[in-house]
Amino acid sequence: MSAASHEVVVPIEGMSCAACVARVDRALLKAPGVRTADVNLVLRQARVVLDDAAPLEPVLQAIEDAGYHAGASVEALRAGLAAEQAERGQEKERRTLARQTAVALVLAVAIMVLSSPLMQGASDPLARVMMPLDDAIAHALPPLAAGTLRWLLLALTFPVVTWSGRGFFTRAWSALRHGTANMSTLVAVGSGTAFAFSVLATIAPDPLTRHGLAPEVYYESVAFIIALVLLGNALEAGARVRTSSAIRALIGLAPRTARVVRDGREVTLDVAEVRPGDVVVIHPGERVPVDGRILEGKSTLDESMLTGEPMPAQKQAGDRVVGGTVNGQGGLRVEAERVGSDTVLASIIALVRHAQSTRAPVQALADRISAVFVPVVLVIALMAAVTWALVGPEPRLLHGLGVFVTVTVIACPCAMGLATPTALVVGMGRGATLGVLVKSGEVLERAAAVDTVVLDKTGTVTEGKPSLSEVLLPAGSRLDRDSVLVLAAAVEGSSEHPIATAIRDAAPAAPAARPPATEFLATPGAGACARVDGQHVAVGTLRWLQAEGVRVEAIAPLVAAVAASAATPVVLAVDGVGVAVLAIRDRVRPGARQAIARLRGMGLRVVLLTGDRREAAEAVAREIGIDDARGELSPADKLDAIDMLRAEGRTVAMVGDGINDAPALARASVGIAVGSATDVALETADVALLRAGLDGVPTLLALARRTLRTIRANLFWAFGYNTLGIPLAAGVLYPAFGVLLSPVFASFAMAMSSVSVVLNSLRLKRFRG
């Protein structure tokens, strides 16, 4: 998203299928100032990117004009409260559907029982295949005249249609007014046709009788169509609420209140009232409400939500704390640095919400089909009905009516619209709980296709906390160890690179006592130089210094010796001459070898790239089980290496943590930033691993593969269901086998197709990595 745009998430009420999604999407893209729009059926929301100057009112109006309702006001959208309102709206929808379904099912059963006398001896397809109750039940009912019984059935069916099923008809009418059709259109047309015919047979049976048609009613079909479709919707709504459980769990980590020191005393405030600079008091056992730095106190903090480490981390004055973590036994006073939406936890929640609302490319097929699906189904239903009415068995008109109702009901494209978003929402939510944050559905799909993993070494494979192990000086050197370290520390005084930190930590003089460095210049991935005490001092790789014209003959053997020992050689040059070699060692992260073994077990090629010496790279590679290690690479060289792999037709994931990794992270098919990553790497990467170490890499790729398999299975069954169901409902098997589906069976099958897709997606919640 560019600086000239902003993003809003708008809850949408009234969507029921993929056709609704396509319609809202088209409407939003026509609104002034809208750049992109991602409409999500599962989350019932749209993520809209607008020009900075674009107002929000036309966005909401576009949703209303499309026949739906925006579930948040302009004020709520500006205040960032839309997401919470959407979640409350989903819960309200679930409760309403549960009540409507309960009423419809109870009345449908009563209607079926009372319909038994009217169905005795009936020969029409609806009655024959509606599984009528046996003669014993029919005889057990009190004797009622057929006309009286029809009126009683009408009275019982009326609330099913007008209250329980009201939403189908209002949404269908709204779609009709806007010249489109959706799932509700099919349900309303199917059940409405059967209901209208039944009302006619009840109120004015004589015209039917004069035309040779028995005044038969199909109230039980109407009631069961609405009841079973509602049952499917209610089960689906409950499952949708469960799909967002990961977000709710993350939100639950954030405390609602904080103890803040104001005017010398502690007061309890809403977290939203805490400001940067406030002093927050955290008692033992409480969750940290803000991101900040400890001013007073010493304790342990459970940071497992971020790091995955089961052991609490020791914290004392000067250390940073993250909101949502749990304080141990000590009391703390913390200066708030980031509050509200700026905290790490809020950023994680926002990233997961953003990712869950995006689409994956695999969804494109369903989107294209849904745009024309419902009108095509209505045409097929009409053609089948006319065919049966003209050439079907007697009574032809009733056969045609039954087929029309069955085709429209069984063809509802709910499962098609839910196939992709449910899997994405559950998969990304599960990833978040495992410390894997994927930025979009497109990224997840690309990650599923990865066949090559490229790893940076320092800070990624290794702990990123190197230490100085030795200082080597050539024979006859006029310098000693301390003077070398003082010069090197002066040059590296402002650098945040881990090797620079190791040099500064090893220097004997305090920072204030070091000579000042001027004319500082850093070359990412190579080294840095500055003027110290009138001398030009450079600290970096041998290759870089050679390219800068530094004479290295005296220290070249020392560099080779350090590299052969698997340490990283850092050369110090003064006034164009190499004068010392610093041996830096960085331990391999625990579990790195196991993670590499998992990647190779998944059939992936693993490559190690580093700016370090080739010998050091190969030594680390041997330790963790990598065959392909390449050293002495600049950031540009890393880009070239990734380009070469992609030119071979490979889908490459790059794993890194530093500023010099940012170009490679951007160039790779999937960029993955590890838990210790810099802000630049996190901004550039497609995936952020919250936990340090490489465990998250195989977890991400395995989750991506599992999610994509789930999406494909969902789409297969959704398309397969309609491909098989529509011809069966139209009666293609009737001439040869006498098989004809009933509207009740069609409504049950349609409802269960949607539920099966959602339940299949929910299996991703059990993914363990």
Side-chain angles (χ1 to χ4, degrees):
M1 192 164 48
S2 72
S5 65
H6 66 285
E7 179 181 294
V8 293
V9 177
V10 187
I12 301 175
E13 299 173 3
M15 294 193 301
S16 58
C17 67
C20 299
V21 171
R23 192 159 116 222
V24 175
D25 194 54
R26 289 194 300 269
L28 286 172
L29 290 175
K30 293 178 182 177
V34 173
R35 295 188 177 186
T36 63
D38 274 324
V39 183
N40 191 294
L41 178 61
V42 176
L43 301 177
R44 297 295 200 265
Q45 67 183 29
R47 185 175 60 85
V48 184
V49 177
L50 305 100
D51 295 333
D52 264 353
L56 292 175
E57 287 80 2
V59 173
L60 304 189
Q61 191 59 48
I63 294 171
E64 300 289 338
D65 291 344
Y68 301 91
H69 178 61
S73 64
V74 171
E75 292 73 20
L77 292 174
R78 287 174 177 157
L81 302 176
E84 288 77 5
Q85 289 189 3
E87 288 169 4
R88 289 196 296 270
Q90 285 198 43
E91 180 59 28
K92 179 182 177 182
E93 178 192 19
R94 186 192 64 80
R95 292 196 299 268
T96 301
L97 281 170
R99 290 194 297 269
Q100 291 175 330
T101 302
V103 170
L105 283 173
V106 169
L107 290 176
V109 171
I111 292 166
M112 183 183 68
V113 172
L114 292 174
S115 297
S116 295
L118 297 179
M119 299 173 70
Q120 298 301 301
S123 59
D124 63 273
L126 289 176
R128 188 171 63 251
V129 296
M130 280 294 292
M131 296 179 291
L133 299 179
D134 57 31
D135 291 341
I137 296 179
H139 293 155
L141 293 172
L144 290 172
T148 303
L149 193 53
R150 292 189 193 102
W151 279 100
L152 176 59
L153 293 172
L154 172 58
L156 292 174
T157 308
F158 190 76
V160 176
V161 173
T162 58
W163 185 72
S164 293
R166 179 175 178 272
F168 297 124
F169 295 94
T170 56
R171 289 191 293 268
W173 172 247
S174 176
L176 179 63
R177 287 193 300 110
H178 292 87
T180 61
N182 55 26
M183 182 211 84
S184 295
T185 303
L186 297 180
V187 175
V189 169
S191 60
T193 301
F195 183 67
F197 185 87
S198 299
V199 170
L200 177 63
T202 301
I203 297 176
D206 292 342
L208 298 177
T209 305
R210 286 197 300 269
H211 287 82
L213 292 174
E216 296 178 358
V217 292
Y218 305 110
Y219 291 120
E220 76 289 342
S221 294
V222 174
F224 266 107
I225 287 172
I226 292 174
L228 290 175
V229 174
L230 280 173
L231 175 62
N233 289 348
L235 293 173
E236 175 196 314
R240 280 202 312 269
V241 171
R242 285 158 57 197
T243 62
S244 301
S245 60
I247 287 289
R248 291 194 300 277
L250 288 172
I251 293 173
L253 295 176
R256 301 291 184 185
T257 60
R259 290 187 180 87
V260 180
V261 177
R262 292 279 172 90
D263 299 325
R265 61 188 183 88
E266 288 184 26
V267 294
T268 300
L269 302 176
D270 189 283
V271 170
E273 299 180 53
V274 181
R275 298 290 179 263
D278 282 343
V279 176
V280 180
V281 179
I282 305 167
H283 291 182
E286 292 182 342
R287 286 193 181 273
V288 179
V290 298
D291 293 358
R293 187 184 296 275
I294 298 175
L295 298 176
E296 299 176 20
K298 184 176 182 181
S299 185
T300 58
L301 264 70
D302 179 358
E303 298 181 329
S304 56
M305 71 164 205
L306 292 177
T307 65
E309 296 293 336
M311 293 299 294
Q314 296 287 337
K315 297 288 184 178
Q316 59 187 2
D319 291 338
R320 281 193 165 86
V321 296
V322 176
T325 55
V326 181
N327 187 25
Q329 299 302 312
L332 299 173
R333 283 179 174 252
V334 173
E335 180 184 2
E337 294 181 334
R338 291 189 292 187
V339 298
S341 60
D342 294 330
T343 63
V344 170
L345 181 59
S347 299
I348 292 171
I349 293 171
L351 192 151
V352 176
R353 275 182 169 150
H354 174 278
Q356 288 181 332
S357 67
T358 61
R359 300 182 196 176
V362 72
Q363 190 175 345
L365 177 62
D367 290 343
R368 288 196 298 269
I369 292 177
S370 65
V372 297
F373 185 81
V374 175
V376 169
V377 167
L378 289 173
V379 171
I380 292 174
L382 283 171
M383 291 174 60
V386 170
T387 301
W388 277 84
L390 293 176
V391 300
E394 293 293 347
R396 293 175 181 174
L397 181 59
L398 295 184
H399 273 86
L401 173 64
V403 166
F404 178 80
V405 172
T406 304
V407 171
T408 54
V409 171
I410 205 169
C412 292
C414 302
M416 200 182 304
L418 293 168
T420 298
T422 51
L424 286 178
V425 168
V426 179
M428 290 178 175
R430 181 57 183 155
T433 62
L434 295 173
V436 176
L437 302 182
V438 184
K439 294 189 176 179
S440 72
E442 181 182 358
V443 168
L444 197 70
E445 186 170 339
R446 290 203 307 266
V450 164
D451 55 23
T452 303
V453 177
V454 174
L455 302 172
D456 170 55
K457 182 176 76 69
T458 304
T460 302
V461 171
T462 61
E463 291 183 340
K465 298 177 182 177
S467 59
L468 178 75
S469 62
E470 192 176 5
V471 175
L472 284 75
L473 300 169
S477 174
R478 293 175 300 167
L479 299 174
D480 58 18
R481 181 182 188 277
D482 287 354
S483 59
V484 166
L485 290 176
V486 168
L487 288 173
V491 174
E492 300 285 15
S494 59
S495 174
E496 296 183 0
H497 193 282
I499 289 179
T501 302
I503 293 172
R504 291 197 302 269
D505 291 345
R514 294 171 194 159
T518 60
E519 301 177 25
F520 176 82
L521 179 64
T523 302
C529 60
R531 186 160 293 279
V532 181
D533 282 344
Q535 306 173 93
H536 185 271
V537 182
V539 182
T541 65
L542 179 68
R543 181 182 178 184
W544 173 63
L545 292 172
Q546 286 176 311
E548 294 293 317
V550 173
R551 292 165 50 197
V552 296
E553 297 84 0
I555 51 93
L558 303 179
V559 171
V562 171
S565 68
T568 299
V570 176
V571 177
L572 175 73
V574 178
D575 290 333
V577 179
V579 297
V581 178
L582 287 68
I584 307 293
R585 296 187 184 275
D586 191 4
R587 290 186 302 173
V588 169
R589 288 188 183 276
R593 186 175 184 86
Q594 292 82 350
I596 300 303
R598 285 180 61 195
L599 291 172
R600 297 185 66 173
M602 295 167 64
L604 297 167
R605 177 181 175 185
V606 184
V607 181
L608 182 69
L609 302 182
T610 179
D612 212 341
R613 289 276 293 179
R614 178 176 56 83
E615 293 86 353
E618 291 174 348
V620 171
R622 284 193 300 271
E623 184 177 348
I624 62 176
I626 295 178
D627 298 328
D628 188 352
R630 310 174 193 181
E632 303 177 22
L633 301 180
S634 67
D637 293 331
K638 290 182 180 180
L639 282 179
D640 291 341
I642 290 174
D643 285 340
M644 289 175 62
L645 289 169
R646 296 187 68 176
E648 296 173 9
R650 293 187 169 274
T651 304
V652 181
M654 171 68 193
V655 187
D657 78 318
I659 293 175
N660 61 319
D661 296 323
L665 290 170
R667 182 68 58 87
S669 306
V670 179
I672 305 172
V674 298
S676 56
T678 65
D679 290 341
V680 174
L682 284 171
E683 183 68 25
T684 308
D686 301 306
V687 181
L689 305 182
L690 295 180
R691 301 165 186 174
L694 296 177
D695 291 348
V697 179
T699 297
L700 160 69
L701 301 180
L703 176 63
R705 291 180 178 185
R706 179 80 64 83
T707 303
L708 199 65
R709 284 201 304 270
T710 301
I711 290 173
R712 286 171 175 162
N714 286 349
L715 289 172
F716 173 81
W717 289 112
F719 287 131
Y721 161 80
N722 286 117
T723 302
L724 179 63
I726 292 175
L728 289 179
V732 295
L733 297 182
Y734 186 83
F737 303 101
V739 175
L740 187 62
L741 302 183
S742 73
V744 172
F745 180 86
S747 60
F748 177 80
M750 187 277 287
M752 290 305 101
S753 70
S754 300
V755 173
S756 66
V757 162
V758 177
L759 293 179
N760 187 46
S761 297
L762 284 172
R763 293 170 57 226
L764 288 167
K765 293 182 71 174
R766 299 198 298 268
F767 176 81
R768 293 289 180 267

